[in-house]
Amino acid sequence: MKPPPFDYFAPQTLEEVLQLLEQYGDDAKVLAGGQSLIPTMNFRLAQPAVLIDLNGIRELADIQESDEEITVGAMTRQRMLEKSVIIREKTPLIFETIPHIAHVQIRNRGTVGGNLAHADPASELPAVMVTLNATFKLQSLKSERWVSASDFFQGMYMTALQPEEILTEVRIPVQAVTGLYGFEEVARRHGDYALAGVSVLVHLDENQNCEDVRITYFSVGEAPVPAHNAVQFLTGQPLEDEIISEAAELAANNDIDPHDDIHASAKYRRHLAKILTIRALQKAKNRNKPN
Amino acid sequence: MAISISVTVNGKTYNHEVEPRMLLVHYLRDVLRLTGTHVGCDTSGCGACTVVVNGRAVKSCTMLAAQADGAEITTIEGLASNGDLHPLQEGFREEHGLQCGFCTPGMIMTAWQILQDNPNPSEEEIRHGLEGNLCRCTGYQNIVKAIQYAAKKIG
């Protein structure tokens, strides 16, 4: 047997899940798609005493839309996002991102909630959720609260979730018609964790100057990293080649603090961040069709 | 702690008591003795353990046997019918799509999914579809050809 022993629960309602979490707290792990947790247990890096399987909770697996936002249940498979017309039309940034998340067998099992709650700093979806200004619903038996994506991710595999809480729902504001976007990453093989990556979302004002800019990196820090300096620099400026290059330079030098590891040096990651920012902002720019 | 499961594999229904920590791949191999599905990396990286669960290709090393309760599973052993190879199996033979063969069952089950989603995939679509499967003997050229062979034959 690869994983260490654990007690297994497969509740059929969210209420039962919350009761089990209340009872077992820190001793329990919630099993969503299992695409990170089970390998970690196979290596015995994680040894939870109790596993609470969410795969029977049907109410957590759907995608809904209203005029302003899209609601995605935590147990929605990544493959469902990939195939969703709502996602393709209303949040094209997510649609463009999904093919970069691992590969199809993993996306068949992997879930949105599991992907976010695992909070791997090299993961795409957390950074994209920060860029899109998404909010997450965290529920326990006794409370229910909403936390913004930027407050949710607190460090490497660390989130705002308390031991008795579970992420149940993600709300994503619909990208307005003027929301120009871009997603870029570099990985050694397609589907591997990226060495560096970035997602951008830009709104222009009536003079074609940047009004609301969001740039978020992944795999260059402990959590998704917002590019505060670059955003400040871009605001009020037109999306022109020279300005894009300068913003990318600023972000790579001042907004991120990447690590050296066996996959890439910090210096190389900075270089990638700069080039990828230029490409992503160029993509956003090329999507602009002024009247 | 033992869990009762009822699983349909290659059209036959099995009932067993399993330990919660038993991985689906070990259930298939060690309990059902269907050893065509291989264990490669145990981390969902290599794709050798790919099987089809309820119509979707998944890596059976990252799913618990307990989670397969009620599921319909197809493994490499379930593809041939009445002694006739599935066109994908035939394609791998005709196009020399394997050397050592370790990755082959996973390649074929993933290819099954590729053709299920798109009966007439381009070379690029086949290569993208195979991203989750590693072959360490050689390149992927003949594997791609084998899938093209099958697509043509089925089409």
Side-chain angles (χ1 to χ4, degrees):
Chain A
M1 297 275 181
K2 290 281 175 177
F6 51 82
D7 285 337
Y8 175 78
F9 295 95
Q12 299 298 308
T13 66
L14 181 59
E15 179 77 16
E16 285 173 74
V17 174
L18 298 178
Q19 269 163 6
L20 286 164
L21 277 171
E22 191 71 24
Q23 187 180 344
Y24 292 105
D26 251 346
D27 292 334
K29 268 295 224 182
V30 168
L31 175 63
Q35 300 302 289
S36 299
L37 179 58
I38 304 264
T40 314
M41 289 169 62
N42 285 347
F43 276 131
R44 303 207 171 193
L45 294 170
Q47 310 206 350
V50 173
L51 215 53
I52 304 169
D53 189 344
L54 299 183
N55 285 272
I57 319 291
R58 302 252 176 265
E59 66 196 85
L60 290 183
D62 74 337
I63 302 170
Q64 305 270 355
E65 69 170 315
S66 68
D67 288 346
E68 292 96 36
E69 59 190 15
I70 292 166
T71 310
V72 179
M75 284 302 289
T76 305
R77 311 273 169 196
Q78 289 152 345
R79 182 71 178 174
M80 283 169 67
L81 282 189
E82 193 172 358
K83 293 281 169 195
S84 160
V85 177
I86 300 176
I87 295 294
R88 193 176 66 214
E89 289 176 356
K90 299 296 173 65
T91 56
L93 174 58
I94 293 182
F95 184 72
E96 184 159 284
T97 302
I98 295 172
H100 295 276
I101 302 173
H103 36 255
V104 69
Q105 293 106 312
I106 304 236
R107 295 196 294 274
N108 279 338
R109 291 290 296 166
T111 65
V112 173
N115 190 164
L116 298 172
H118 185 55
D120 190 313
S123 181
E124 292 88 355
L125 219 44
V128 168
M129 291 298 172
V130 172
T131 299
L132 288 171
N133 219 356
T135 49
F136 304 157
K137 187 184 193 178
L138 313 187
Q139 276 182 271
S140 71
L141 198 59
K142 293 172 186 150
S143 73
E144 182 183 308
R145 61 190 178 120
W146 287 89
V147 174
S148 72
S150 38
D151 289 336
F152 180 79
F153 299 105
Q154 299 185 341
M156 199 176 279
Y157 309 117
M158 286 175 46
T159 68
L161 279 167
Q162 296 299 308
E164 67 285 355
E165 276 180 325
I166 177 184
L167 193 169
T168 52
E169 199 177 296
V170 177
R171 280 197 188 164
I172 307 154
V174 169
Q175 274 177 248
V177 186
T178 52
L180 310 172
Y181 62 97
F183 177 91
E184 291 287 331
E185 72 170 37
V186 166
R188 291 212 183 273
R189 293 174 309 172
H190 193 113
D192 277 7
Y193 283 120
L195 298 177
V198 66
S199 62
V200 308
L201 184 63
V202 182
H203 289 93
L204 300 178
D205 64 18
E206 66 271 23
N207 301 319
Q208 299 294 306
N209 291 325
C210 297
E211 181 171 53
D212 181 12
V213 185
R214 299 183 69 91
I215 303 174
T216 319
Y217 296 93
F218 54 97
S219 220
V220 296
E222 304 273 307
V225 183
H228 295 301
N229 288 295
V231 165
Q232 200 177 8
F233 170 77
L234 279 170
T235 304
Q237 304 246 46
L239 263 189
E240 286 169 2
D241 292 354
E242 260 175 51
I243 289 163
I244 287 174
S245 296
E246 210 170 317
E249 185 89 37
L250 195 63
N253 291 332
N254 298 313
D255 283 319
I256 59 171
D257 187 16
H259 297 294
D260 288 309
D261 63 24
I262 56 164
H263 304 294
S265 65
K267 193 179 164 199
Y268 182 52
R269 284 202 159 91
R270 275 192 206 279
H271 170 74
L272 287 179
K274 180 179 138 186
I275 302 298
L276 295 176
T277 308
I278 293 173
R279 286 184 192 162
L281 286 170
Q282 289 286 0
K283 248 191 201 172
K285 177 188 152 191
N286 292 336
R287 286 184 161 123
N288 186 28
K289 299 201 172 50
N291 299 324
Chain B
M1 194 177 191
I3 309 275
S4 296
I5 59 168
S6 174
V7 191
T8 303
V9 182
N10 302 330
K12 197 173 160 194
T13 303
Y14 300 88
N15 294 293
H16 283 105
E17 299 257 307
V18 297
E19 246 194 279
R21 61 175 169 153
M22 177 177 268
L23 301 175
L24 177 59
V25 68
H26 291 129
Y27 175 73
L28 295 171
R29 288 177 57 84
D30 301 343
V31 179
L32 303 188
R33 304 303 294 165
L34 293 169
T35 53
T37 303
H38 292 162
V39 187
C41 65
D42 293 320
T43 57
S44 69
C46 79
C49 67
T50 302
V51 299
V52 172
V53 178
N54 295 331
R56 303 300 306 170
V58 304
K59 304 200 174 186
S60 57
C61 75
T62 44
M63 188 169 160
L64 303 172
Q67 294 185 291
D69 185 31
E72 284 198 25
I73 296 175
T74 308
T75 69
I76 187 72
E77 289 92 343
L79 286 189
S81 61
N82 301 324
D84 291 330
L85 291 182
H86 185 277
L88 277 164
Q89 293 169 305
E90 196 183 302
F92 273 71
R93 184 186 66 194
E94 292 303 315
E95 297 293 342
H96 198 66
L98 61 140
Q99 283 191 21
C100 84
F102 194 85
C103 72
T104 312
M107 286 285 180
I108 290 180
M109 298 318 290
T110 306
W112 182 91
Q113 169 94 87
I114 294 171
L115 296 184
Q116 199 71 17
D117 288 349
N118 178 1
N120 190 21
S122 66
E123 182 187 335
E124 200 194 343
E125 285 165 338
I126 292 173
R127 288 181 185 275
H128 268 298
L130 290 176
E131 274 159 13
N133 293 71
L134 300 180
C135 165
R136 295 292 82 158
C137 289
T138 174
Y140 295 82
Q141 192 57 40
N142 288 354
I143 294 171
V144 173
K145 278 192 200 160
I147 297 168
Q148 286 170 327
Y149 175 102
K152 211 167 162 186
K153 175 131 191 200
I154 297 169

